[in-house]
Amino acid sequence: MNILLFGPPGAGKGTQSAFLVEKHGMVHLSTGDLFRSAIKNSTPLGLEAKKYSEKGQLVPDSITIGLVEEKIKDLKKTSFILDGFPRTVPQAEALETLLKTNQLKLDKAIFLVTPNDMLMSRLTGRRVCEDCGTTYHIETMPPGPGNTCTNCGGNRVIQRKDDFPEVIRTRLEAYEKNTAPLKEYYKAKGKLVEVKGTGEVKEVYERLKSAIS
Ligand code: ADP
Ligand code: ADP
Ligand code: ZN
């Protein structure tokens, strides 16, 4: 089962992907993670992506599609989750070509339905481990004492630079303008499945499990 997990920033895509990786052995492809890693390592791609992502804007399609093109070959052997790509209709069209070229198929496009008024608090409260990428939330899933990571034991659990209110607002606007139209796109292809993203993390996971079984 190959899926796309999409929805607004803060919907819980990364959190749920971690469960699917752990419990179902799926491979996770997150363009957000790839961009952050490139930025951390100051690669040419990272330097370019940083200009956009630090402001909460989408990285241009040509750069993003090029990045996925390099990675898509790695998805051949197991079920995969696309998280955060595609985020625009041109990216979705490019994905179709890339999948076809690699004899791969997307089975379902799962939209995590999360009310707008929840997104700001989810995002401002998000903390991430710089070492292993584990995601926390200051209220619902707090890190260990002194901002330590309960997964890898590191002490670099931080707030992402784009998880501050002003940048979040830009990201939510970019989502409405560019990514929300993907719902219609995948509906027309008969691939859209809507899953409620509210309630406990485990409840959402149970719903997702039913959606992919
Ligand atoms: P996305 O990848 O869609 O941007 P994340 O998975 O990073 O979203 O989740 C955003 C924040 O919300 C994180 O701090 C995460 O711990 C928290 N979160 C995710 N799912 C839930 C949930 N069902 N209930 C409460 N908090 C959640
Ligand atoms: P979140 O899951 O919280 O919405 P991501 O980690 O997926 O955020 O993405 C972080 C940033 O990386 C985005 O704000 C954007 O600048 C860039 N980015 C990630 N994926 C894409 C994409 N498919 N197209 C354009 N920009 C992207
Ligand atoms: Zn960690």
Side-chain angles (χ1 to χ4, degrees):
M1 171 73 62
N2 297 328
I3 63 168
L4 157 66
L5 209 50
F6 75 114
K13 304 178 294 290
T15 303
Q16 295 300 329
S17 294
F19 275 105
L20 294 169
V21 168
E22 192 198 344
K23 300 191 192 295
H24 299 252
M26 294 173 87
V27 169
H28 180 214
L29 184 81
S30 156
T31 41
D33 287 350
L34 291 172
F35 282 136
R36 274 185 294 280
S37 153
I39 290 169
K40 202 166 146 188
N41 296 319
S42 300
T43 66
L45 170 77
L47 295 176
E48 191 59 25
K50 190 173 176 201
K51 292 191 221 159
Y52 302 92
S53 69
E54 68 184 4
K55 294 190 214 128
Q57 297 166 355
L58 293 184
V59 178
D61 284 340
S62 57
I63 299 174
T64 308
I65 293 164
L67 171 69
V68 173
E69 192 170 9
E70 277 174 38
K71 301 284 171 187
I72 206 124
K73 300 172 203 79
D74 303 341
L75 301 178
K76 281 203 175 165
K77 291 193 187 93
T78 64
S79 297
F80 63 77
I81 314 158
L82 298 178
D83 164 8
F85 179 91
R87 244 178 168 96
T88 66
V89 171
Q91 289 181 16
E93 288 164 347
L95 174 66
E96 282 195 40
T97 310
L98 287 178
L99 290 173
K100 225 174 257 164
T101 312
N102 287 278
Q103 283 125 28
L104 288 165
K105 185 171 149 264
L106 186 70
D107 297 299
K108 288 182 181 175
I110 302 180
F111 179 68
L112 268 185
V113 188
T114 316
N116 282 341
D117 59 6
M118 230 180 231
L119 300 173
M120 187 54 89
S121 59
R122 281 212 184 162
L123 291 168
T124 53
R126 174 161 65 185
R127 298 293 182 269
V128 290
C129 173
E130 282 229 282
D131 298 319
C132 73
T134 300
T135 299
Y136 298 91
H137 189 280
I138 49 170
E139 277 148 23
T140 58
M141 273 166 281
N147 277 336
T148 48
C149 177
T150 52
N151 182 50
C152 74
N155 61 356
R156 301 201 299 156
V157 176
I158 56 126
Q159 181 165 11
R160 267 167 55 175
K161 287 206 184 82
D162 59 351
D163 277 344
F164 287 86
E166 203 172 313
V167 186
I168 292 172
R169 274 190 280 276
T170 307
R171 288 164 63 205
L172 293 172
E173 279 166 23
Y175 165 78
E176 285 300 336
K177 181 164 175 252
N178 301 290
T179 312
L182 286 181
K183 254 167 83 173
E184 283 307 316
Y185 180 91
Y186 284 110
K187 194 173 175 184
K189 307 251 170 215
K191 295 200 171 171
L192 181 72
V193 181
E194 299 198 37
V195 169
K196 222 168 78 179
T198 51
E200 297 273 317
V201 169
K202 292 248 157 67
E203 283 174 58
V204 180
Y205 169 64
E206 290 301 323
R207 289 183 208 126
L208 263 180
K209 220 164 64 176
S210 314
I212 63 174
S213 63

